[in-house]
Amino acid sequence: MWLKATIEGSSKITLPAKGEPRDRWLTRSDAAKLIWTCWRYREMQKMARGPLRGQKVATGKRPLRHLARFILIGVYSGSRAGAIAAASPIPAVGRAFVDLERGIYYRRRQGDAKTNKRQPPVPIPPRLLAHLKRWHQIDHHAKHFVEFNGKPVTSVKTAFKTAVRLAGLGAGISPHTLRHTAATWLMQRGADPWQAAGYLGMSLDVLLNTYGHHHPDYLADAVEKIAKRDRKAEGNRDSFGSVLPLRR
């Protein structure tokens, strides 16, 4: 009763204004550094006996190698973390099927209902497809492309945070940064916005509002027009060239 009365008698709650979208993304050199850090890193172990007792030495364990695969899929497909973790060469309920023969990535897990987070099937870029085929050949029994100790990963947040620190890339980088990175790279390369939005599984408005300024054609027409010489006004004394000391 108290809860009901409190809710019914409460005043209207005003939510704070939505913050500006984050614009943190990786350069290609940043991404390469992060991938190589994950691939080369070896677990350190403190020796309990022997001449190196008390010292930390590198073991043969590679606890971040699965993350190198996760990052490659992320930056080349722009998929969300859940779809990357569920990516599988074997179709089954609960998995995001990767058709290696046709080169299609069905990002929505089989059996999942559609949500407002768009995850349309997309063609796989040749470079990523080559990696996926090689990984499947290396271990054709693996049910997922990203596994740790033979099991699918549920979260890479902790491992990702460690990798970012080891790579020295600074703060503000998370698994979702890979999606920001893919969107930014597409815009920087001059991709058609409509196709880029479809590939990433986001609305055209979100793509343009968040990443549009990275496109080489961003406001290009306005930039050209604002400085274009007006033949009719060239002889006018009010033109900028006649009153501003642009040359010395």
Side-chain angles (χ1 to χ4, degrees):
M1 289 294 293
W2 177 85
L3 179 59
K4 182 178 180 181
T6 302
I7 294 175
E8 290 178 349
S10 61
S11 59
K12 186 178 179 180
I13 299 174
T14 303
L15 297 176
K18 187 177 180 180
E20 290 293 319
R22 289 177 294 177
D23 194 32
R24 189 69 167 95
W25 52 276
L26 302 176
T27 64
R28 292 184 179 270
S29 60
D30 286 340
K33 186 176 183 180
L34 188 59
I35 291 169
W36 277 113
T37 296
C38 294
W39 187 255
R40 294 170 176 167
Y41 177 73
R42 295 198 297 176
E43 186 177 284
M44 304 298 291
Q45 184 176 350
K46 192 173 184 179
M47 301 300 292
R49 62 186 67 182
L52 298 178
R53 181 179 179 181
Q55 297 182 33
K56 286 187 176 182
V57 298
T59 68
K61 297 180 180 180
R62 307 278 186 170
L64 296 179
R65 280 200 168 178
H66 69 290
L67 196 57
R69 293 186 175 189
F70 186 96
I71 296 167
L72 277 169
I73 297 174
V75 295
Y76 279 127
S77 74
S79 302
R80 293 180 172 85
I84 299 173
S88 170
I90 306 170
V93 173
R95 299 177 192 165
F97 177 50
V98 176
D99 189 335
L100 294 176
E101 291 187 6
R102 297 178 58 222
I104 302 294
Y105 182 8
Y106 297 89
R107 292 183 288 198
R108 184 159 57 90
R109 293 180 297 185
Q110 293 187 23
D112 284 4
K114 280 188 176 182
T115 67
N116 58 352
K117 292 186 176 181
R118 307 176 186 182
Q119 298 188 81
V122 289
I124 305 170
R127 187 171 296 181
L128 175 58
L129 184 59
H131 283 298
L132 294 171
K133 287 182 175 180
R134 180 169 53 83
W135 297 340
H136 185 52
Q137 290 175 353
I138 292 172
D139 187 2
H140 62 277
H141 293 296
K143 296 179 180 178
H144 297 82
F145 288 106
V146 181
E147 295 186 347
F148 184 70
N149 291 334
K151 297 181 180 180
V153 298
T154 55
S155 175
V156 297
K157 289 183 179 179
T158 301
F160 201 91
K161 185 177 181 180
T162 299
V164 170
R165 175 179 56 81
L166 292 171
L169 296 182
I173 300 176
S174 68
H176 197 65
T177 302
L178 304 178
R179 183 165 165 80
H180 290 301
T181 298
T184 301
W185 287 2
L186 281 170
M187 290 292 94
Q188 289 176 337
R189 289 295 179 93
D192 176 82
W194 187 84
Q195 290 199 26
Y199 183 79
L200 294 165
M202 65 175 63
S203 71
L204 183 60
D205 285 344
V206 169
L207 177 72
L208 293 177
N209 290 337
T210 309
Y211 309 99
H213 60 284
H214 291 292
H215 200 284
D217 294 335
Y218 177 68
L219 300 182
D221 186 62
V223 171
E224 178 185 358
K225 295 293 194 305
I226 196 69
K228 190 174 183 179
R229 298 179 67 179
D230 189 344
R231 298 294 181 182
K232 294 181 180 179
E234 282 188 353
N236 193 326
R237 293 182 180 179
D238 292 333
S239 64
F240 293 156
S242 64
V243 297
L244 296 180
L246 299 180
R247 297 179 180 177
R248 291 186 178 180

